[in-house]
Amino acid sequence: MKKQKKLIRLADMILGAVCQLKKQHLRQIQSNLEDFCKKCSEASKDSHLFYAAVERNWLSSVEKIRLRISRNLNDFSYNLQRFKEMLNTDRPKLPKLSDVFAELNQIEQDIGELQFDLKEETISVITDSVSLEDIAFGSFEIKLNIGEIRSLYTESPYRVIALEPNPAGSDSCVTHPHVSNEKLCEGDGHTAIRRSLEDGRLCDFFTMIVNILQTYNPDSPYVSLDDWEGISCYDCGYTVAGDDCYYCEYCEQDYCSQCSSYCQMCDTTICLGCAYECPSCNEPVCKSCTAACKECEETFCKDCLTEEGLCQNCEENRKENSDEEQESKSEIAETNTAVQSHSMGETAIHA
């Protein structure tokens, strides 16, 4: 008996939310009606301006007004058609409290135990374990936020929560081929699901979502079942099996074999973006195996630097400079020796 009283209270909350939703629709009609009246007013003003311009023989002004009227009529025609469709679309009648109460009881008979939280204004059911093509996704909780039903035309008022998540290898937010970030891709069921909430048909609402979860549509999955166990390459997006995936320790991302390499010095796996090609040997190396030349300051792999920290070019330049310095010193020494020898052979003359 206590539970039945809570269900009556819950039914009343749902009925209130459906009433708010209908009010939102009426506000949309009101807004469109205001736009329609504004367009009519603009057309009336243009009519007076056009008449005055013709009477005063302002032909250039007449042409400008004519073009503006033509543009406005195109917009007017489009908006008028949409407004007519909105007015002529059959809207569901508001359900009775007894109808919503009966729907809540029907949920427990057709789907399973109904869970609700009157404080948070939520109602939910838990599905049986879902499996698609031998891949198990576990059970899902379909949680409807009653207070958000009024925003049905702009936001989804419910979430689909994986209770035993088996997410896609390439995206942990995808817990089902048609569920991402707890939002269901409703596909062709979008209109029917929305209409069930407008009518207060809660049992139909939950039943349709359960059916979508138990069905796989290969044309519109967030991640296909064929790629579910794979890992997406961070660079090219190609999905590869876990054994064919390479982890870059520098950027901490997964890559396929085409987008990864390894350091020729320490054998560390690196992606092409983190790899550095030594300008001397043209081999890919990781950042830890590089150093700057102490002379030119260009980066090389450590194997291409001497013990003194010089690249090959700088080492050769230093050697050439050293040889030239030695040659210069030798030439100076030879010159000094020749001068000294010449001085020793001369006779001093006294006055």
Side-chain angles (χ1 to χ4, degrees):
M1 188 68 180
K2 187 175 181 181
K3 183 177 180 181
Q4 294 299 308
K5 287 183 178 179
K6 287 185 177 180
L7 285 180
I8 292 174
R9 185 180 170 189
L10 183 63
D12 186 55
M13 292 170 60
I14 294 171
L15 184 59
V18 172
C19 289
Q20 288 294 320
L21 180 62
K22 186 173 182 63
K23 190 174 182 179
Q24 289 292 333
H25 177 69
L26 295 176
R27 283 176 176 169
Q28 286 184 349
I29 293 178
Q30 181 182 4
S31 176
N32 277 269
L33 181 58
E34 290 173 355
D35 289 341
F36 176 76
C37 292
K38 184 178 178 181
K39 295 289 184 184
C40 289
S41 177
E42 290 175 355
S44 178
K45 289 179 181 178
D46 283 337
S47 173
H48 292 300
L49 291 173
F50 189 84
Y51 175 81
V54 171
E55 289 298 314
R56 296 175 185 179
N57 205 30
W58 294 344
L59 300 184
S60 61
S61 296
V62 169
E63 183 63 17
K64 289 180 181 178
I65 297 170
R66 185 189 68 80
L67 292 174
R68 184 169 68 240
I69 292 173
S70 177
R71 290 194 301 269
N72 290 341
L73 279 177
N74 289 332
D75 294 339
F76 184 83
S77 177
Y78 173 74
N79 291 328
L80 179 61
Q81 184 61 34
R82 289 187 60 193
F83 186 41
K84 287 173 62 178
E85 290 174 359
M86 180 176 288
L87 286 175
N88 295 333
T89 301
D90 292 333
R91 307 305 301 175
K93 294 181 179 179
L94 283 175
K96 298 177 182 178
L97 180 63
S98 57
D99 295 332
V100 180
F101 177 75
E103 287 287 331
L104 296 176
N105 283 302
Q106 191 68 37
I107 289 172
E108 294 203 323
Q109 294 179 25
D110 294 353
I111 302 175
E113 183 182 359
L114 181 68
Q115 300 182 0
F116 53 88
D117 188 321
L118 295 177
K119 273 189 176 180
E120 293 187 358
E121 297 188 0
T122 60
I123 175 175
S124 62
V125 298
I126 296 176
T127 70
D128 294 332
S129 184
V130 175
S131 294
L132 299 172
E133 298 184 11
D134 298 327
I135 299 178
F137 299 98
S139 300
F140 291 87
E141 180 182 9
I142 306 168
K143 180 175 284 189
L144 173 66
N145 189 312
I146 298 170
E148 293 179 4
I149 291 178
R150 68 192 66 179
S151 304
L152 178 64
Y153 302 128
T154 56
E155 297 288 339
S156 175
Y158 68 93
R159 294 184 295 145
V160 179
I161 306 164
L163 301 180
E164 307 152 33
N166 174 25
S170 58
D171 190 344
S172 61
C173 294
V174 179
T175 54
H176 181 282
H178 306 303
V179 177
S180 177
N181 290 305
E182 300 183 348
K183 290 186 180 292
L184 178 69
C185 177
E186 299 167 340
D188 295 336
H190 173 74
T191 301
I193 289 173
R194 189 174 73 171
R195 180 54 65 91
S196 67
L197 288 176
E198 291 174 333
D199 294 345
R201 293 181 286 107
L202 277 300
C203 187
D204 287 348
F205 165 76
F206 284 109
T207 299
M208 282 186 282
I209 295 175
V210 170
N211 290 338
I212 292 175
L213 291 174
Q214 293 174 341
T215 306
Y216 174 59
N217 182 356
D219 296 328
S220 60
Y222 288 108
V223 176
S224 69
L225 290 177
D226 292 337
D227 297 332
W228 196 262
E229 303 295 341
I231 297 175
S232 178
C233 173
Y234 185 75
D235 192 359
C236 67
Y238 183 72
T239 302
V240 295
D243 295 341
D244 297 327
C245 184
Y246 299 89
Y247 179 75
C248 176
E249 296 181 5
Y250 287 89
C251 63
E252 299 181 344
Q253 299 293 343
D254 296 305
Y255 294 86
C256 67
S257 59
Q258 299 297 318
C259 297
S260 61
S261 183
Y262 66 95
C263 176
Q264 298 295 322
M265 292 186 64
C266 65
D267 288 336
T268 299
T269 300
I270 46 178
C271 68
L272 298 182
C274 292
Y276 179 77
E277 185 177 306
C278 174
S280 180
C281 63
N282 298 321
E283 294 290 348
V285 289
C286 67
K287 295 176 183 177
S288 299
C289 293
T290 62
C293 172
K294 291 183 178 180
E295 289 284 345
C296 65
E297 298 184 351
E298 187 175 354
T299 302
F300 295 86
C301 71
K302 292 180 180 179
D303 277 353
C304 291
L305 295 176
T306 64
E307 293 180 0
E308 296 178 354
L310 300 177
C311 66
Q312 184 178 355
N313 288 337
C314 290
E315 174 69 15
E316 290 176 356
N317 289 337
R318 177 177 285 190
K319 187 176 180 182
E320 288 177 4
N321 292 336
S322 178
D323 290 344
E324 290 176 0
E325 187 177 344
Q326 289 296 329
E327 289 178 5
S328 179
K329 287 180 179 180
S330 297
E331 289 177 359
I332 292 172
E334 291 176 359
T335 302
N336 290 337
T337 301
V339 169
Q340 289 175 2
S341 298
H342 181 71
S343 298
M344 289 177 63
E346 293 178 350
T347 303
I349 301 174
H350 297 284

Coordinates of all heavy atoms in Angstrom, one line a residue, residues 1-11 101 104-105 108 116 118:
M1 N 0.8 -1.2 0.0 CA 0.0 0.0 0.0 C 0.9 1.3 0.0 O 0.6 2.2 -0.7 CB -0.9 0.0 1.2 CG -1.9 1.1 1.2 SD -3.2 0.9 -0.1 CE -4.2 2.3 0.1
K2 N 2.0 1.2 0.8 CA 2.9 2.3 0.9 C 3.5 2.6 -0.5 O 3.6 3.8 -0.9 CB 3.9 2.1 1.9 CG 4.8 3.3 2.2 CD 5.8 2.9 3.3 CE 6.7 4.1 3.6 NZ 7.7 3.8 4.7
K3 N 3.8 1.5 -1.2 CA 4.4 1.7 -2.5 C 3.4 2.3 -3.5 O 3.8 3.1 -4.4 CB 5.0 0.4 -3.1 CG 5.7 0.5 -4.4 CD 6.2 -0.8 -4.9 CE 6.9 -0.7 -6.2 NZ 7.5 -2.0 -6.7
Q4 N 2.2 1.9 -3.4 CA 1.2 2.4 -4.3 C 1.0 3.9 -4.1 O 0.8 4.7 -5.1 CB -0.2 1.7 -4.1 CG -0.1 0.2 -4.5 CD 0.2 0.0 -5.9 OE1 -0.5 0.6 -6.8 NE2 1.1 -0.8 -6.2
K5 N 1.1 4.4 -2.9 CA 0.9 5.8 -2.6 C 2.1 6.6 -3.2 O 1.9 7.6 -3.8 CB 0.9 6.1 -1.1 CG -0.4 5.6 -0.4 CD -0.4 6.0 1.1 CE -1.7 5.6 1.7 NZ -1.7 6.0 3.2
K6 N 3.3 6.0 -3.2 CA 4.5 6.6 -3.8 C 4.3 6.6 -5.3 O 4.7 7.6 -6.0 CB 5.7 5.9 -3.4 CG 6.2 6.1 -2.0 CD 7.5 5.4 -1.7 CE 8.0 5.7 -0.3 NZ 9.3 5.1 0.1
L7 N 3.7 5.6 -5.9 CA 3.5 5.6 -7.3 C 2.5 6.6 -7.7 O 2.6 7.2 -8.8 CB 3.0 4.2 -7.7 CG 4.1 3.1 -7.8 CD1 3.5 1.7 -8.2 CD2 5.2 3.4 -8.7
I8 N 1.5 6.8 -6.9 CA 0.5 7.9 -7.2 C 1.2 9.3 -7.2 O 1.0 10.1 -8.1 CB -0.7 7.8 -6.2 CG1 -1.5 6.6 -6.4 CG2 -1.6 9.1 -6.4 CD1 -2.6 6.4 -5.3
R9 N 2.0 9.5 -6.2 CA 2.8 10.7 -6.1 C 3.7 10.9 -7.3 O 3.8 12.0 -7.9 CB 3.6 10.8 -4.8 CG 4.3 12.1 -4.6 CD 5.0 12.0 -3.3 NE 5.9 13.2 -3.1 CZ 6.8 13.3 -2.2 NH1 7.0 12.4 -1.3 NH2 7.6 14.4 -2.1
L10 N 4.3 9.8 -7.7 CA 5.2 9.8 -8.9 C 4.5 10.1 -10.1 O 4.9 10.9 -11.0 CB 5.9 8.4 -9.0 CG 7.0 8.3 -10.1 CD1 8.1 9.2 -9.9 CD2 7.5 6.8 -10.1
A11 N 3.3 9.5 -10.3 CA 2.4 9.7 -11.4 C 2.0 11.2 -11.5 O 2.0 11.8 -12.6 CB 1.2 8.8 -11.4
F101 N -0.6 6.4 -13.8 CA -0.4 5.4 -12.7 C -0.5 4.0 -13.3 O 0.3 3.2 -12.9 CB -1.6 5.7 -11.6 CG -1.5 4.7 -10.5 CD1 -0.6 4.7 -9.5 CD2 -2.4 3.6 -10.5 CE1 -0.5 3.8 -8.5 CE2 -2.4 2.7 -9.4 CZ -1.5 2.8 -8.4
L104 N 2.8 3.1 -14.9 CA 3.9 2.7 -14.0 C 3.7 1.3 -13.5 O 4.7 0.6 -13.4 CB 3.9 3.7 -12.8 CG 4.2 5.2 -13.1 CD1 4.0 6.0 -11.8 CD2 5.5 5.3 -13.7
N105 N 2.5 0.9 -13.3 CA 2.3 -0.5 -12.9 C 2.6 -1.5 -14.1 O 3.1 -2.6 -13.9 CB 0.9 -0.7 -12.4 CG 0.7 -0.2 -11.0 OD1 1.4 -0.7 -10.1 ND2 -0.2 0.7 -10.8
E108 N 6.3 -2.6 -14.5 CA 6.8 -3.7 -13.6 C 6.3 -5.1 -14.2 O 7.0 -6.1 -14.0 CB 6.4 -3.5 -12.2 CG 7.0 -2.3 -11.6 CD 7.0 -2.4 -10.0 OE1 6.1 -2.9 -9.5 OE2 8.0 -2.0 -9.4
F116 N 12.6 4.3 -8.4 CA 12.4 5.7 -8.5 C 12.9 6.4 -7.2 O 13.1 5.8 -6.2 CB 10.9 6.0 -8.6 CG 10.0 5.3 -7.6 CD1 9.7 6.0 -6.4 CD2 9.5 4.1 -7.8 CE1 8.9 5.4 -5.5 CE2 8.7 3.5 -6.9 CZ 8.4 4.1 -5.7
L118 N 12.0 10.0 -5.4 CA 11.1 11.1 -5.4 C 11.9 12.4 -5.2 O 11.5 13.5 -5.7 CB 10.0 11.0 -4.3 CG 9.1 9.8 -4.6 CD1 8.1 9.7 -3.5 CD2 8.3 10.0 -5.9

